[in-house]
Amino acid sequence: MDFLASFTGLDLPGWAWTIVLTAGAGIGIAKTAVPGSAILVVVLMAMALPARMSVGVLLPMLILGDVFAVGKFWKHTDRRQLFTLLPFAFLGLGAGYLILRHVTNEQLKPIIGAVVLFMLGVHQVSRMVKNKGAGVPGEGYGRVHPFLKVLFGFAGGLGTGMANSAGPIMSLYFLIAGFPKLPFIATAAWFFFTMNLLKVPLFLNLGLISGQSLRVNLLTIPSVAVGALLGYWIISRISQEKFNRAVLVLAFVAALRLVF
């Protein structure tokens, strides 16, 4: 622990260092196998590190996780869907920074959570009416009303720009659009990789990313790599039905955390 403290300049208890050194595994798994599970990492890192630093440390970890996902699954990317969503996400990202002048992150998070819960409810009712699950290959894959693409793209950009909470929003969109698991992971990875890179200059300007936070990031690289490799193993063995169920449950948990 003395080496860790001297290397980073952070004097943390043993339990906090344990979280920091292993949290990357959760990011790696979330990016390559179980979208949405990173919500647990966000909570744990906020417990282990000072609030502002946890945000600055997490962004490079998420980007590294995106790199592993893109590198492995890029052939499965639905470019048409991605390029349709990104322009509206850029608008949402810009709107988020403008709205931050009047609305704080803490004020926005419950609103986003409530919207996700409402849309999850609508999604479940729709599934019962149609008597079939979303996300099954061959069942309307990619057939989404243009309005929903605009809505989810904008909301995704707004959520990631203001509250780092676009995960459940975009997970729900990809489920509604009927994405099989590999196109789901690949397209989501490219979406978040692009948005996260755009956030780097802002975080640098706000001082959220610093020399100290980057030194902490160096310690998390092995953990992210191990988690990504484990994710590769998991995604090859999890069925589409279990994948969809896990995404829905994690989106629900993430939305509840935003609300409360």
Side-chain angles (χ1 to χ4, degrees), residues 128-144:
M128 288 187 292
V129 171
K130 294 179 180 179
N131 195 30
K132 66 178 181 180
V136 179
E139 291 189 0
Y141 167 42
R143 296 178 185 175
V144 181

Side-chain angles (χ1 to χ4, degrees), residues 12-141:
L12 301 176
W15 64 266
W17 279 121
T18 300
I19 290 175
V20 170
L21 295 175
T22 60
I27 296 291
I29 293 172
K31 292 295 185 178
T32 60
V34 190
S37 58
I39 191 68
L40 177 60
V41 179
V42 173
V43 175
L44 291 175
M45 289 291 279
M47 292 170 53
L49 295 173
R52 287 176 61 84
M53 175 171 282
S54 71
V55 175
V57 169
L58 275 170
L59 184 59
M61 293 171 67
L62 292 169
I63 292 174
L64 180 58
D66 289 328
V67 169
F68 276 102
V70 167
K72 177 70 173 178
F73 303 113
W74 66 271
K75 292 181 180 179
H76 301 279
T77 304
D78 189 324
R79 294 175 178 82
R80 183 177 61 83
Q81 289 278 349
L82 178 65
F83 294 145
T84 301
L85 289 168
L86 281 177
F88 302 109
F90 295 153
L91 291 175
L93 186 65
Y97 294 140
L98 293 176
I99 294 172
L100 275 176
R101 298 178 181 178
H102 309 287
V103 180
T104 67
N105 282 357
E106 296 308 314
Q107 290 172 325
L108 179 72
K109 285 180 181 180
I111 298 174
I112 292 176
V115 170
V116 173
L117 287 175
F118 172 76
M119 299 185 80
L120 279 170
V122 172
H123 175 59
Q124 289 300 97
V125 170
S126 175
R127 286 185 61 189
M128 288 187 292
V129 171
K130 294 179 180 179
N131 195 30
K132 66 178 181 180
V136 179
E139 291 189 0
Y141 167 42

Side-chain angles (χ1 to χ4, degrees), residues 4 52 110 115 125 147 150 165 169-170 180 198 237 251:
L4 297 175
R52 287 176 61 84
V115 170
V125 170
F147 175 74
V150 174
S165 54
I169 296 173
M170 299 313 299
L198 290 175
R237 287 161 176 79

Side-chain angles (χ1 to χ4, degrees), residues 122-229:
V122 172
H123 175 59
Q124 289 300 97
V125 170
S126 175
R127 286 185 61 189
M128 288 187 292
V129 171
K130 294 179 180 179
N131 195 30
K132 66 178 181 180
V136 179
E139 291 189 0
Y141 167 42
R143 296 178 185 175
V144 181
H145 193 282
F147 175 74
L148 286 181
K149 295 182 181 181
V150 174
L151 177 64
F152 275 94
F154 185 85
L158 186 70
T160 194
M162 293 188 65
N164 291 316
S165 54
I169 296 173
M170 299 313 299
S171 290
L172 182 56
Y173 172 80
F174 291 129
L175 277 181
I176 291 174
F179 273 58
K181 60 183 181 180
L182 294 184
F184 184 125
I185 291 174
T187 309
W190 272 113
F191 180 89
F192 287 112
F193 182 54
T194 303
M195 301 306 291
N196 286 333
L197 285 179
L198 290 175
K199 288 157 61 176
V200 170
L202 175 70
F203 278 37
L204 287 170
N205 185 55
L206 294 175
L208 296 174
I209 295 178
S210 62
Q212 185 179 49
S213 72
L214 290 174
R215 286 194 295 273
V216 175
N217 282 133
L218 287 175
L219 300 175
T220 67
I221 290 175
S223 179
V224 176
V226 169
L229 294 175

